[in-house]
Amino acid sequence: MAERTPWSLSGALRGMFAKKTIDGETWEDLEDALIKADFGPNVTEVVVAELRAKVAKYNTTDPKDLQRMLREGIEERLSLLDSTLTLSERPAVVLVVGVNGVGKTTTIGKFAKFLNTYGRSVIVGAADTFRAGAVDQLATWAERAGAQIVKPQMVGQDPASVAFQTVEKAKNEGIEIVIIDTAGRLHTKGGLMDELTKIRRVVEKQAPIAEVLLVLDATTGQNGLAQAEAFIQHAGVTGLVLTKLDGSARGGFVLAVQERTGIPIKLVGQGEGINDLTGFTPHVFAQKLIG
Ligand code: GDP
């Protein structure tokens, strides 16, 4: 049996799937459960319509069939985009972007540890140079993860220069993966996007950028997505990291996010510990969500 998780839908749907037969209330109950789990109105409508059609086609009244079809439908939907991280370049440069507070620093720490566990050497660049606290926090995570770090020499140093030095050190020392932390202040959006563009330009002179990962907090739902719109439009995002899925009762957000952005989810954070980060596998996710 799949492990139960807080974002699992099976709790809400258990009563429905345990019924003897699919009945008049089934579709309304299903719709309610999907909306509550933050699938968003569009995905909910499509998923319910598809299921109704399938149930009619296969002429079944067994809720267990409905559960299986729902799980398979979700898996198929999530498999439309490729969740594989492309880290084959040497060095492979990963830019991590997102609004402050979503879990960017924590994710970088976990990701560095994850890569380190698989024998990859990692260097982290602290290019959020205006917040001294952010640099210290990142340094603590880097140490725990067994990664090197390049820090700014002073508060407010040009973030692009920190990124440049990090990639340069990686090239000189043969370090395989570079992870660059970036600022996430929302109030100066224009300035921040220009800053990210400059970081990209400077880094790309030295090495191709393998991934630009946008970190999103799953507990903020559609709101968080609206806040991250500028990154999606301007930062060349190649993959999403969903954090705090452990604290969210809304696992359906995963589908809503994918539908709204068209960007694959590549990593998932499910806790504050250093090992609480996994890759994203549609099959495993759908199984945990639906049961
Ligand atoms: P940043 O401002 O984006 O760098 O955010 P931080 O990395 O400092 O994280 C903000 C808070 O979210 C911290 O208290 C983290 O412990 C917490 N956090 C980050 N990722 C997760 C996660 O996957 N699950 C939970 N429960 N908390 C998380």
Side-chain angles (χ1 to χ4, degrees):
M1 255 216 26
E3 182 193 329
R4 292 283 317 276
T5 48
W7 44 263
S8 159
L9 262 187
S10 31
L13 294 179
R14 206 177 319 134
M16 208 175 94
F17 294 142
K19 277 186 180 174
K20 285 206 165 52
T21 178
I22 296 172
D23 59 26
E25 285 172 2
T26 301
W27 301 112
E28 219 166 289
D29 289 350
L30 180 62
E31 208 171 298
D32 280 354
L34 298 187
I35 290 286
K36 278 203 187 98
D38 226 0
F39 277 66
N42 296 346
V43 180
T44 299
E45 198 185 313
V46 176
V47 166
V48 173
E50 275 175 9
L51 276 179
R52 286 189 91 134
K54 269 191 195 163
V55 163
K57 181 175 169 194
Y58 294 105
N59 198 20
T60 177
T61 53
D62 184 350
K64 286 272 169 275
D65 284 338
L66 186 64
Q67 182 174 18
R68 180 180 47 77
M69 288 172 184
L70 177 59
R71 187 174 57 238
E72 287 170 359
I74 285 172
E75 185 181 337
E76 270 170 30
R77 200 159 271 282
L78 291 172
S79 303
L80 287 172
L81 302 177
D82 184 2
S83 293
T84 318
L85 283 161
T86 47
L87 299 174
S88 48
E89 303 281 348
R90 288 295 172 261
V93 181
V94 180
L95 233 57
V96 182
V97 304
V99 176
N100 284 338
V102 292
K104 207 150 28 97
T105 315
T106 311
T107 295
I108 292 172
K110 292 175 188 173
F111 190 35
K113 171 73 183 340
F114 179 85
L115 294 165
N116 187 288
T117 306
Y118 287 95
R120 301 275 88 86
S121 50
V122 181
I123 188 162
V124 172
D128 181 0
T129 63
F130 284 89
R131 293 191 307 159
V135 175
D136 292 344
Q137 201 194 343
L138 191 65
T140 307
W141 274 105
E143 192 180 330
R144 290 174 66 194
Q148 295 199 50
I149 184 166
V150 171
K151 296 195 257 184
Q153 268 111 40
M154 55 184 178
V155 172
Q157 183 183 331
D158 182 357
S161 78
V162 175
F164 182 88
Q165 285 161 15
T166 314
V167 179
E168 191 175 48
K169 192 167 158 68
K171 286 173 80 172
N172 289 341
E173 298 182 16
I175 300 169
E176 295 167 286
I177 318 268
V178 178
I179 309 175
I180 311 272
D181 185 23
T182 62
R185 55 186 189 280
L186 257 189
H187 48 283
T188 56
K189 235 184 256 170
L192 178 55
M193 294 310 140
D194 290 347
E195 184 175 310
L196 292 175
T197 304
K198 185 173 174 193
I199 292 176
R200 287 167 57 97
R201 203 175 57 233
V202 166
V203 166
E204 275 168 345
K205 281 191 186 141
Q206 295 173 295
I209 294 176
E211 295 275 359
V212 178
L213 299 179
L214 170 65
V215 183
L216 292 172
D217 175 342
T219 62
T220 62
Q222 306 285 336
N223 249 347
L225 201 49
Q227 281 195 333
E229 204 63 56
F231 293 97
I232 293 167
Q233 279 172 18
H234 304 290
V237 177
T238 59
L240 305 177
V241 182
L242 285 192
T243 61
K244 311 186 193 180
L245 214 53
D246 54 303
S248 169
R250 308 189 279 186
F253 184 54
V254 168
L255 283 103
V257 160
Q258 181 173 304
E259 194 241 10
R260 260 210 39 204
T261 64
I263 302 171
I265 293 145
K266 299 208 167 174
L267 293 167
V268 173
Q270 298 190 64
E272 296 183 89
I274 198 158
N275 295 314
D276 296 330
L277 184 82
T278 59
F280 182 73
T281 316
H283 176 71
V284 175
F285 184 83
Q287 177 75 48
K288 282 188 178 177
L289 187 65
I290 304 303

Short mmCIF file of all heavy atoms in Angstrom, two decimals, residues 63-111:
data_model
loop_
_atom_site.label_atom_id
_atom_site.label_comp_id
_atom_site.label_asym_id
_atom_site.label_seq_id
_atom_site.Cartn_x
_atom_site.Cartn_y
_atom_site.Cartn_z
N PRO A 63 -17.22 1.81 -7.69
CA PRO A 63 -16.37 2.93 -7.30
C PRO A 63 -14.86 2.61 -7.37
O PRO A 63 -14.05 3.50 -7.54
CB PRO A 63 -16.79 3.22 -5.86
CG PRO A 63 -18.17 2.70 -5.76
CD PRO A 63 -18.21 1.49 -6.65
N LYS A 64 -14.53 1.33 -7.23
CA LYS A 64 -13.12 0.94 -7.32
C LYS A 64 -12.56 1.21 -8.73
O LYS A 64 -11.40 1.58 -8.90
CB LYS A 64 -12.94 -0.56 -6.97
CG LYS A 64 -13.09 -0.84 -5.50
CD LYS A 64 -11.74 -0.68 -4.78
CE LYS A 64 -11.86 -0.69 -3.28
NZ LYS A 64 -12.18 0.62 -2.67
N ASP A 65 -13.42 1.01 -9.73
CA ASP A 65 -13.02 1.33 -11.11
C ASP A 65 -12.79 2.83 -11.25
O ASP A 65 -11.86 3.28 -11.89
CB ASP A 65 -14.11 0.91 -12.11
CG ASP A 65 -14.12 -0.60 -12.35
OD1 ASP A 65 -13.08 -1.23 -12.08
OD2 ASP A 65 -15.17 -1.13 -12.77
N LEU A 66 -13.68 3.57 -10.60
CA LEU A 66 -13.58 5.03 -10.64
C LEU A 66 -12.25 5.48 -10.02
O LEU A 66 -11.55 6.33 -10.57
CB LEU A 66 -14.75 5.63 -9.86
CG LEU A 66 -14.88 7.14 -9.91
CD1 LEU A 66 -15.16 7.61 -11.32
CD2 LEU A 66 -15.99 7.61 -8.97
N GLN A 67 -11.90 4.89 -8.90
CA GLN A 67 -10.65 5.22 -8.22
C GLN A 67 -9.45 4.95 -9.14
O GLN A 67 -8.56 5.78 -9.29
CB GLN A 67 -10.53 4.40 -6.94
CG GLN A 67 -9.26 4.72 -6.14
CD GLN A 67 -9.24 3.99 -4.80
OE1 GLN A 67 -9.97 3.02 -4.60
NE2 GLN A 67 -8.40 4.46 -3.90
N ARG A 68 -9.47 3.78 -9.76
CA ARG A 68 -8.36 3.40 -10.65
C ARG A 68 -8.28 4.36 -11.84
O ARG A 68 -7.22 4.84 -12.21
CB ARG A 68 -8.56 1.95 -11.13
CG ARG A 68 -7.47 1.47 -12.08
CD ARG A 68 -7.70 0.04 -12.52
NE ARG A 68 -9.06 -0.25 -12.96
CZ ARG A 68 -9.57 0.11 -14.13
NH1 ARG A 68 -8.83 0.75 -15.00
NH2 ARG A 68 -10.83 -0.18 -14.43
N MET A 69 -9.45 4.66 -12.42
CA MET A 69 -9.46 5.55 -13.60
C MET A 69 -8.98 6.96 -13.22
O MET A 69 -8.29 7.60 -13.99
CB MET A 69 -10.88 5.64 -14.17
CG MET A 69 -11.33 4.39 -14.89
SD MET A 69 -13.09 4.56 -15.30
CE MET A 69 -13.42 2.96 -15.99
N LEU A 70 -9.35 7.41 -12.03
CA LEU A 70 -8.92 8.73 -11.57
C LEU A 70 -7.39 8.75 -11.40
O LEU A 70 -6.70 9.66 -11.86
CB LEU A 70 -9.61 9.07 -10.24
CG LEU A 70 -9.22 10.39 -9.58
CD1 LEU A 70 -9.49 11.59 -10.48
CD2 LEU A 70 -9.97 10.58 -8.25
N ARG A 71 -6.89 7.70 -10.76
CA ARG A 71 -5.43 7.59 -10.54
C ARG A 71 -4.69 7.57 -11.88
O ARG A 71 -3.72 8.29 -12.09
CB ARG A 71 -5.13 6.33 -9.73
CG ARG A 71 -3.69 6.22 -9.31
CD ARG A 71 -3.47 5.04 -8.40
NE ARG A 71 -3.91 3.80 -9.00
CZ ARG A 71 -4.82 2.98 -8.49
NH1 ARG A 71 -5.41 3.26 -7.37
NH2 ARG A 71 -5.14 1.87 -9.12
N GLU A 72 -5.19 6.75 -12.80
CA GLU A 72 -4.53 6.64 -14.11
C GLU A 72 -4.60 7.95 -14.89
O GLU A 72 -3.65 8.35 -15.55
CB GLU A 72 -5.15 5.50 -14.92
CG GLU A 72 -4.76 4.13 -14.40
CD GLU A 72 -5.56 2.99 -15.03
OE1 GLU A 72 -6.45 3.24 -15.88
OE2 GLU A 72 -5.30 1.84 -14.65
N GLY A 73 -5.77 8.61 -14.80
CA GLY A 73 -5.96 9.88 -15.51
C GLY A 73 -4.97 10.93 -15.01
O GLY A 73 -4.38 11.68 -15.79
N ILE A 74 -4.80 10.98 -13.69
CA ILE A 74 -3.88 11.95 -13.09
C ILE A 74 -2.45 11.63 -13.51
O ILE A 74 -1.68 12.52 -13.88
CB ILE A 74 -4.05 11.95 -11.55
CG1 ILE A 74 -5.34 12.70 -11.21
CG2 ILE A 74 -2.85 12.56 -10.85
CD1 ILE A 74 -5.76 12.63 -9.79
N GLU A 75 -2.12 10.36 -13.48
CA GLU A 75 -0.76 9.96 -13.88
C GLU A 75 -0.48 10.34 -15.33
O GLU A 75 0.57 10.91 -15.66
CB GLU A 75 -0.59 8.45 -13.67
CG GLU A 75 0.83 8.00 -13.94
CD GLU A 75 1.01 6.50 -13.76
OE1 GLU A 75 0.20 5.89 -13.03
OE2 GLU A 75 1.95 5.96 -14.35
N GLU A 76 -1.44 10.06 -16.19
CA GLU A 76 -1.28 10.40 -17.62
C GLU A 76 -1.08 11.89 -17.81
O GLU A 76 -0.22 12.34 -18.56
CB GLU A 76 -2.52 9.98 -18.40
CG GLU A 76 -2.45 8.57 -18.94
CD GLU A 76 -3.80 8.13 -19.50
OE1 GLU A 76 -4.58 8.98 -19.98
OE2 GLU A 76 -4.08 6.92 -19.42
N ARG A 77 -1.90 12.66 -17.11
CA ARG A 77 -1.84 14.12 -17.21
C ARG A 77 -0.47 14.63 -16.76
O ARG A 77 0.14 15.47 -17.40
CB ARG A 77 -2.94 14.66 -16.29
CG ARG A 77 -3.40 16.03 -16.53
CD ARG A 77 -4.78 16.20 -15.91
NE ARG A 77 -5.79 15.83 -16.87
CZ ARG A 77 -6.18 16.63 -17.86
NH1 ARG A 77 -5.69 17.83 -17.97
NH2 ARG A 77 -7.08 16.23 -18.73
N LEU A 78 0.01 14.10 -15.65
CA LEU A 78 1.30 14.56 -15.12
C LEU A 78 2.47 14.06 -15.97
O LEU A 78 3.56 14.62 -15.93
CB LEU A 78 1.48 14.10 -13.67
CG LEU A 78 0.56 14.79 -12.66
CD1 LEU A 78 0.68 14.14 -11.29
CD2 LEU A 78 0.87 16.28 -12.56
N SER A 79 2.24 13.00 -16.73
CA SER A 79 3.32 12.45 -17.57
C SER A 79 3.48 13.20 -18.88
O SER A 79 4.37 12.91 -19.68
CB SER A 79 3.06 10.97 -17.87
OG SER A 79 2.92 10.26 -16.67
N LEU A 80 2.59 14.17 -19.12
CA LEU A 80 2.68 14.92 -20.38
C LEU A 80 3.97 15.71 -20.47
O LEU A 80 4.50 15.97 -21.54
CB LEU A 80 1.49 15.90 -20.49
CG LEU A 80 0.14 15.27 -20.78
CD1 LEU A 80 -0.96 16.30 -20.66
CD2 LEU A 80 0.14 14.65 -22.17
N LEU A 81 4.48 16.12 -19.31
CA LEU A 81 5.72 16.90 -19.30
C LEU A 81 6.86 16.05 -18.72
O LEU A 81 6.63 15.23 -17.84
CB LEU A 81 5.55 18.18 -18.47
CG LEU A 81 4.43 19.12 -18.93
CD1 LEU A 81 4.32 20.30 -17.98
CD2 LEU A 81 4.69 19.62 -20.34
N ASP A 82 8.06 16.30 -19.18
CA ASP A 82 9.20 15.49 -18.76
C ASP A 82 9.81 16.05 -17.47
O ASP A 82 10.31 17.18 -17.45
CB ASP A 82 10.25 15.49 -19.88
CG ASP A 82 11.43 14.59 -19.57
OD1 ASP A 82 11.41 13.93 -18.51
OD2 ASP A 82 12.36 14.54 -20.39
N SER A 83 9.79 15.26 -16.42
CA SER A 83 10.28 15.72 -15.11
C SER A 83 11.76 15.45 -14.87
O SER A 83 12.25 15.63 -13.76
CB SER A 83 9.48 15.03 -14.00
OG SER A 83 8.15 15.46 -14.03
N THR A 84 12.46 15.02 -15.91
CA THR A 84 13.88 14.67 -15.72
C THR A 84 14.73 15.92 -15.60
O THR A 84 14.61 16.86 -16.39
CB THR A 84 14.38 13.88 -16.96
OG1 THR A 84 13.38 12.95 -17.34
CG2 THR A 84 15.68 13.18 -16.67
N LEU A 85 15.62 15.92 -14.63
CA LEU A 85 16.60 17.01 -14.51
C LEU A 85 17.72 16.75 -15.50
O LEU A 85 18.20 15.63 -15.61
CB LEU A 85 17.20 17.03 -13.10
CG LEU A 85 16.34 17.61 -11.99
CD1 LEU A 85 16.86 17.12 -10.64
CD2 LEU A 85 16.34 19.13 -12.04
N THR A 86 18.12 17.79 -16.24
CA THR A 86 19.23 17.58 -17.18
C THR A 86 20.50 18.19 -16.57
O THR A 86 20.68 19.39 -16.56
CB THR A 86 18.94 18.25 -18.54
OG1 THR A 86 18.47 19.56 -18.29
CG2 THR A 86 17.89 17.49 -19.31
N LEU A 87 21.34 17.30 -16.07
CA LEU A 87 22.54 17.76 -15.37
C LEU A 87 23.79 17.12 -15.96
O LEU A 87 24.76 16.86 -15.26
CB LEU A 87 22.44 17.40 -13.88
CG LEU A 87 21.27 18.03 -13.12
CD1 LEU A 87 21.20 17.50 -11.70
CD2 LEU A 87 21.40 19.55 -13.10
N SER A 88 23.78 16.88 -17.27
CA SER A 88 24.91 16.14 -17.84
C SER A 88 26.10 17.03 -18.22
O SER A 88 27.21 16.53 -18.36
CB SER A 88 24.44 15.33 -19.05
OG SER A 88 23.68 16.16 -19.89
N GLU A 89 25.88 18.34 -18.38
CA GLU A 89 27.01 19.23 -18.70
C GLU A 89 27.99 19.24 -17.53
O GLU A 89 27.62 18.99 -16.40
CB GLU A 89 26.51 20.67 -18.90
CG GLU A 89 25.47 20.84 -19.98
CD GLU A 89 26.07 20.86 -21.37
OE1 GLU A 89 27.31 20.97 -21.48
OE2 GLU A 89 25.31 20.74 -22.33
N ARG A 90 29.24 19.57 -17.81
CA ARG A 90 30.22 19.75 -16.74
C ARG A 90 30.92 21.08 -16.88
O ARG A 90 31.66 21.25 -17.85
CB ARG A 90 31.24 18.60 -16.74
CG ARG A 90 30.68 17.30 -16.26
CD ARG A 90 30.27 17.36 -14.76
NE ARG A 90 29.54 16.15 -14.35
CZ ARG A 90 28.22 16.07 -14.26
NH1 ARG A 90 27.45 17.10 -14.54
NH2 ARG A 90 27.65 14.96 -13.88
N PRO A 91 30.75 22.03 -15.99
CA PRO A 91 29.81 21.90 -14.88
C PRO A 91 28.38 22.07 -15.35
O PRO A 91 28.13 22.70 -16.36
CB PRO A 91 30.22 23.05 -13.95
CG PRO A 91 30.77 24.10 -14.87
CD PRO A 91 31.45 23.35 -15.98
N ALA A 92 27.45 21.49 -14.59
CA ALA A 92 26.02 21.73 -14.84
C ALA A 92 25.59 22.86 -13.91
O ALA A 92 25.70 22.75 -12.69
CB ALA A 92 25.23 20.46 -14.54
N VAL A 93 25.14 23.95 -14.51
CA VAL A 93 24.77 25.12 -13.71
C VAL A 93 23.26 25.16 -13.49
O VAL A 93 22.49 25.10 -14.46
CB VAL A 93 25.23 26.43 -14.39
CG1 VAL A 93 24.86 27.63 -13.52
CG2 VAL A 93 26.73 26.41 -14.67
N VAL A 94 22.87 25.23 -12.24
CA VAL A 94 21.45 25.29 -11.89
C VAL A 94 21.18 26.62 -11.18
O VAL A 94 21.80 26.92 -10.16
CB VAL A 94 21.06 24.13 -10.94
CG1 VAL A 94 19.57 24.20 -10.58
CG2 VAL A 94 21.41 22.79 -11.56
N LEU A 95 20.29 27.39 -11.75
CA LEU A 95 19.89 28.65 -11.13
C LEU A 95 18.61 28.40 -10.34
O LEU A 95 17.68 27.79 -10.88
CB LEU A 95 19.57 29.64 -12.24
CG LEU A 95 20.24 31.01 -12.26
CD1 LEU A 95 21.74 30.86 -12.25
CD2 LEU A 95 19.79 31.79 -13.49
N VAL A 96 18.54 28.85 -9.10
CA VAL A 96 17.33 28.63 -8.31
C VAL A 96 16.68 29.98 -8.03
O VAL A 96 17.31 30.89 -7.48
CB VAL A 96 17.66 27.89 -7.00
CG1 VAL A 96 16.38 27.62 -6.21
CG2 VAL A 96 18.38 26.57 -7.30
N VAL A 97 15.42 30.12 -8.47
CA VAL A 97 14.73 31.41 -8.33
C VAL A 97 13.41 31.21 -7.59
O VAL A 97 12.90 30.09 -7.49
CB VAL A 97 14.46 32.06 -9.72
CG1 VAL A 97 15.75 32.23 -10.51
CG2 VAL A 97 13.45 31.25 -10.54
N GLY A 98 12.87 32.31 -7.07
CA GLY A 98 11.58 32.24 -6.39
C GLY A 98 11.46 33.33 -5.34
O GLY A 98 12.46 33.94 -4.94
N VAL A 99 10.23 33.55 -4.92
CA VAL A 99 9.91 34.58 -3.94
C VAL A 99 10.45 34.19 -2.56
O VAL A 99 10.44 33.01 -2.20
CB VAL A 99 8.37 34.74 -3.87
CG1 VAL A 99 7.96 35.74 -2.82
CG2 VAL A 99 7.82 35.12 -5.24
N ASN A 100 10.92 35.17 -1.78
CA ASN A 100 11.41 34.90 -0.42
C ASN A 100 10.39 34.13 0.40
O ASN A 100 9.20 34.41 0.34
CB ASN A 100 11.71 36.21 0.31
CG ASN A 100 13.00 36.84 -0.17
OD1 ASN A 100 13.87 36.16 -0.72
ND2 ASN A 100 13.13 38.14 0.03
N GLY A 101 10.88 33.18 1.17
CA GLY A 101 10.02 32.47 2.11
C GLY A 101 9.44 31.17 1.57
O GLY A 101 8.86 30.39 2.31
N VAL A 102 9.60 30.92 0.27
CA VAL A 102 8.99 29.71 -0.31
C VAL A 102 9.78 28.44 0.03
O VAL A 102 9.28 27.33 -0.11
CB VAL A 102 8.85 29.81 -1.85
CG1 VAL A 102 7.82 30.87 -2.24
CG2 VAL A 102 10.19 30.08 -2.53
N GLY A 103 11.04 28.64 0.46
CA GLY A 103 11.87 27.47 0.80
C GLY A 103 13.05 27.31 -0.14
O GLY A 103 13.57 26.20 -0.30
N LYS A 104 13.48 28.39 -0.72
CA LYS A 104 14.57 28.34 -1.70
C LYS A 104 15.88 27.85 -1.06
O LYS A 104 16.51 26.92 -1.57
CB LYS A 104 14.76 29.75 -2.28
CG LYS A 104 15.33 29.80 -3.65
CD LYS A 104 14.87 31.02 -4.44
CE LYS A 104 14.52 32.23 -3.63
NZ LYS A 104 15.57 33.21 -3.51
N THR A 105 16.26 28.48 0.04
CA THR A 105 17.53 28.12 0.69
C THR A 105 17.52 26.66 1.14
O THR A 105 18.47 25.92 0.90
CB THR A 105 17.77 29.03 1.92
OG1 THR A 105 17.48 30.36 1.55
CG2 THR A 105 19.18 28.93 2.42
N THR A 106 16.42 26.29 1.78
CA THR A 106 16.28 24.91 2.26
C THR A 106 16.38 23.93 1.09
O THR A 106 17.04 22.90 1.18
CB THR A 106 14.91 24.75 2.97
OG1 THR A 106 14.76 25.82 3.90
CG2 THR A 106 14.80 23.44 3.68
N THR A 107 15.71 24.27 0.00
CA THR A 107 15.73 23.40 -1.18
C THR A 107 17.15 23.24 -1.72
O THR A 107 17.57 22.13 -2.08
CB THR A 107 14.81 23.98 -2.28
OG1 THR A 107 13.47 23.96 -1.80
CG2 THR A 107 14.90 23.18 -3.58
N ILE A 108 17.89 24.34 -1.76
CA ILE A 108 19.26 24.27 -2.26
C ILE A 108 20.10 23.35 -1.38
O ILE A 108 20.86 22.51 -1.87
CB ILE A 108 19.88 25.69 -2.36
CG1 ILE A 108 19.17 26.48 -3.46
CG2 ILE A 108 21.39 25.61 -2.62
CD1 ILE A 108 19.55 27.95 -3.53
N GLY A 109 19.92 23.49 -0.05
CA GLY A 109 20.64 22.62 0.88
C GLY A 109 20.31 21.15 0.65
O GLY A 109 21.19 20.30 0.53
N LYS A 110 19.02 20.87 0.53
CA LYS A 110 18.59 19.48 0.33
C LYS A 110 19.08 18.94 -1.02
O LYS A 110 19.49 17.79 -1.13
CB LYS A 110 17.06 19.41 0.31
CG LYS A 110 16.35 19.71 1.61
CD LYS A 110 14.85 19.69 1.26
CE LYS A 110 13.95 20.13 2.36
NZ LYS A 110 12.56 20.24 1.89
N PHE A 111 19.01 19.80 -2.03
CA PHE A 111 19.40 19.37 -3.39
C PHE A 111 20.90 19.08 -3.42
O PHE A 111 21.34 18.07 -4.00
CB PHE A 111 19.03 20.48 -4.38
CG PHE A 111 19.16 20.11 -5.83
CD1 PHE A 111 18.88 18.81 -6.26
CD2 PHE A 111 19.54 21.05 -6.77
CE1 PHE A 111 18.98 18.47 -7.61
CE2 PHE A 111 19.66 20.72 -8.11
CZ PHE A 111 19.38 19.43 -8.53
#
